[in-house]
Amino acid sequence: MPSKSYEALLKGRRSGQYTMNHDHSKTPDGASFDRSGSQDSLDELSMDDYWKELENIHETRGNNQEERVALVVKEPDEGELEEEWLKEAGLSNLFGESSGDSLESVVFLSTLTRTQRAAVEKRVETVTQTMRKKNKHHQIPDVRDIFRLQNDSKGKVCDGNEPSTVRTSETKNEMQDGIKGPKFSLGTDEQKRPLEDMPSSDTDINLEISFSEQAANFKDSSVGKMCKGGGGDTLLPNFRVPKDKTGITKIGDLAPQDMKKVYSLALIELTALYDILGTEFKQQKAVKIKTKDCGLFGVPLSVLLEQDQKKVPGTKIPLIFQKLIAQIEEATLETEGLLRIPGVATRIKSLCQELEAKFYEGTFNWENVKQHDAASLLKLFIRELPQPLLTVEYLKAFQDVQKLPTKKQQLQALNLLVLLLPEANRDTLKVLLEFLQRVIDHREKNKMTLKNVAMVMAPNLFTFHGFSSKTIEQREFVMAAGTANVMRFMIQYQKLLWTIPKFIVNQVRKQNTESQKKEKKDKAMKKLLKKMAYDREKHEKQEKTPNDADVPQGVIRVQAPHLSKVSMAIQLTEELKAGDIVARFLSQKSGNVQTLKKEEVFLYEIGGNIGERCLDDDTYMKDLYQLNPNAEWVIKSKQS
């Protein structure tokens, strides 16, 4: 049951008792807070949908007599947070008893940019000071020794990009992004044009240079000092990813071993970005609580998927989640007030209980579920997860995105946060955002604009029931507009969020290259490599056809073991793209090719300085070959 003070808060919002003015605002308990750029938009965005959704949420909980165990977030001891951060970043070798065995960490550090190294150095310094205070007796390395090789050139970026290269183009774009444009009134009148759906400007997102390096140089520039708080303008820029000749890399395109490196680099980069922008970044840790080990609602995503994969092998999205979305769409997405109008709370509870009993048996009658009921059940599923969809670790970081100075930096932070989510959470979030965009596509009929959908969904993703109600009450006013704006960003720019920045992919390539160099210096490894080379040569002699013997300069051999034409020599030209090569193989009208569709088959870059990478069709092969000349090229489907 919601507390009395929280009920008063909701009633106060509906009656207009608590309103925002241009100077400051107060929460019901009298605690004031400063307005940020994100809070400015409270004057422009209608918050009615947000507060109504909160009322519906608490009414639903009020009808549920089961007491839920609050999820306790552990307050870390001094230095503990930094230790955990270094472990998450794959840098545990920099401290503690294993600090002497840091070959892998040295390779990793050698690929970091200036701002990324500063972020790591700051955490290592805190940990070493804490260890000394606690009189730990194992070896504690001096942070200056760890970074002495990387600090030779103060103003240079490790990946070869000079900071000055950022200023010309990035500062210009950030100036457009940071300075407030004309204000527009966005009231409750549904007949007004949904201005938030109209992009205010075209802005390229630079994925080749570290986000934190861009922020550092923008901050140091005269234009950067002029621009403050870019969150007040309600118009969203038309952010674009420029074409990249070596191909755009999406989440899911890289092999698991390289994605592990991406995770570590994204964590360091996000921390460096927050450091540069003066925003505190802290991962939260939840004390483990007992959760249900079966069922549908209130079950961890990992448990749900384990159940579902027994029914549908390989599924990555909970079946109940997929079915609820399908049920909403089966009727029509043109229904007015879709997602906003709730089902009756008692009916939702009854349907919930019936689903728990009959869903996996296949005996549940979906004809009894109205469209608004399905929408309410979908939101209930998200809220009832034992840990939030955006995770306990990063929920606050998602919320704090609103504090970053410009919209571009907010988008960059969201991109990195999505990379940090566990695979199950990320996949489920992707399906949710794609569904919400389809709802918005029918806004002319259903009256659910981007703003409306964001307002309705924000409380379901950000007001996690596991945290104490007191914390929510005190922060509710501060969170409301900010989380709705973060929700808008996630929906509007979702395609960009699933892109792995090129500078991170390049860092992964460098790590792989440096690791290979280190390995070759080891005698035992050389012996092993020699034996492997001998075995491989012997195997290739048995398998080679006469056409494979010698590949001329400027020609690559592409393998397609699952197609009728299993191998083909391809002459590289300036304009040859990955999609052209796939098309050549598919033009062979025989064998397995008859059952394959173009959108199911991709060219892969394998080995060399990358584990495995699925190429987008617009990748220019000659440019990529120059980047990774030792790679093998294989055509296959993502499922194979």
Side-chain angles (χ1 to χ4, degrees), residues 304-323:
L304 267 175
L305 288 174
E306 189 177 339
Q307 291 176 172
D308 293 349
Q309 285 165 359
K310 294 175 182 177
K311 299 280 185 181
V312 182
T315 187
K316 293 185 175 183
I317 312 298
L319 296 178
I320 182 63
F321 193 77
Q322 295 182 50
K323 180 58 182 175

Side-chain angles (χ1 to χ4, degrees), residues 131-277:
M131 285 181 170
R132 290 189 181 105
K133 287 180 182 178
K134 293 181 177 179
N135 294 320
K136 295 195 174 182
H137 297 294
H138 49 67
Q139 181 184 2
I140 302 172
D142 191 302
V143 69
R144 291 170 294 185
D145 294 334
I146 295 172
F147 290 92
R148 68 182 184 278
L149 296 177
Q150 283 78 35
N151 288 332
D152 292 338
S153 180
K154 185 177 180 182
K156 292 186 178 180
V157 182
C158 187
D159 60 7
N161 294 310
E162 295 285 347
S164 59
T165 61
V166 184
R167 287 187 180 170
T168 303
S169 59
E170 286 303 313
T171 302
K172 180 180 178 182
N173 287 336
E174 293 288 357
M175 183 175 181
Q176 294 173 351
D177 184 27
I179 297 176
K180 294 183 182 180
K183 300 267 184 168
F184 295 88
S185 174
L186 296 178
T188 57
D189 186 357
E190 288 290 351
Q191 295 182 353
K192 289 183 180 180
R193 176 68 177 170
L195 293 174
E196 76 280 4
D197 294 338
M198 298 169 58
S200 62
S201 62
D202 288 347
T203 307
D204 285 346
I205 294 291
N206 188 336
L207 298 180
E208 296 192 16
I209 298 174
S210 157
F211 298 154
S212 55
E213 289 290 339
Q214 294 179 38
N217 287 282
F218 171 58
K219 185 179 179 182
D220 292 339
S221 70
S222 57
V223 175
K225 293 172 184 177
M226 290 165 50
C227 301
K228 294 182 180 179
D233 185 1
T234 58
L235 298 185
L236 298 183
N238 184 23
F239 288 120
R240 302 174 304 185
V241 174
K243 287 289 184 181
D244 180 2
K245 284 200 164 187
T246 59
I248 294 172
T249 307
K250 297 285 188 180
I251 293 173
D253 287 350
L254 293 181
Q257 64 267 30
D258 285 336
M259 276 304 297
K260 186 177 180 181
K261 297 182 178 75
V262 167
Y263 176 90
S264 298
L265 288 164
L267 177 59
I268 294 172
E269 174 64 15
L270 181 67
T271 307
L273 180 63
Y274 274 53
D275 282 354
I276 291 294
L277 298 176

Side-chain angles (χ1 to χ4, degrees), residues 512-623:
N512 290 336
T513 300
E514 291 300 317
S515 294
Q516 290 165 10
K517 288 179 181 177
K518 297 285 184 184
E519 288 173 356
K520 288 178 181 178
K521 291 179 181 179
D522 185 270
K523 291 183 179 181
M525 183 59 69
K526 278 186 176 181
K527 186 177 179 180
L528 176 61
L529 288 172
K530 188 175 181 180
K531 183 177 183 304
M532 290 172 61
Y534 173 80
D535 292 342
R536 182 171 65 250
E537 185 179 354
K538 183 179 178 181
H539 176 74
E540 287 175 351
K541 284 181 179 178
Q542 295 172 348
E543 296 292 327
K544 273 186 179 179
T545 63
N547 291 334
D548 290 330
D550 294 303
V551 179
Q553 185 70 22
V555 175
I556 61 172
R557 180 155 296 282
V558 180
Q559 306 292 333
H562 301 294
L563 301 182
S564 55
K565 182 78 172 177
V566 298
S567 178
M568 189 183 295
I570 305 287
Q571 176 69 53
L572 296 176
T573 65
E574 295 292 339
E575 299 301 319
L576 182 69
K577 297 180 182 180
D580 300 330
I581 294 177
V582 174
R584 289 189 194 182
F585 276 86
L586 293 181
S587 65
Q588 308 292 319
K589 301 293 184 182
S590 62
N592 296 340
V593 75
Q594 296 284 1
T595 62
L596 293 173
K597 298 178 182 178
K598 172 67 178 71
E599 58 271 17
E600 296 174 349
V601 185
F602 299 89
L603 179 62
Y604 279 76
E605 168 195 10
I606 300 176
N609 55 33
I610 203 77
E612 180 176 295
R613 177 172 172 251
C614 178
L615 305 182
D616 74 72
D617 287 343
D618 289 331
T619 301
Y620 285 81
M621 293 305 299
K622 191 170 184 179
D623 293 85

Side-chain angles (χ1 to χ4, degrees), residues 67 101 130 192 226 283 288-289 310 357 415 466 511 614:
E67 289 295 327
D101 181 23
T130 304
K192 289 183 180 180
M226 290 165 50
Q283 295 169 270
K288 289 185 178 180
I289 59 171
K310 294 175 182 177
N415 183 197
Q511 284 185 35
C614 178

Side-chain angles (χ1 to χ4, degrees), residues 76-123:
D77 298 330
E78 184 183 7
E80 186 179 3
L81 191 66
E82 286 75 9
E83 279 193 37
E84 192 63 36
W85 184 91
L86 288 166
K87 289 177 183 177
E88 286 287 316
L91 295 172
S92 57
N93 284 335
L94 297 185
F95 67 93
E97 295 178 357
S98 60
S99 59
D101 181 23
S102 57
L103 179 62
E104 186 178 344
S105 297
V106 170
V107 170
F108 187 92
L109 292 171
S110 70
T111 66
L112 299 185
T113 66
R114 174 191 55 176
T115 49
Q116 291 172 347
R117 292 198 310 273
V120 175
E121 187 172 2
K122 180 179 177 182
R123 273 81 196 167

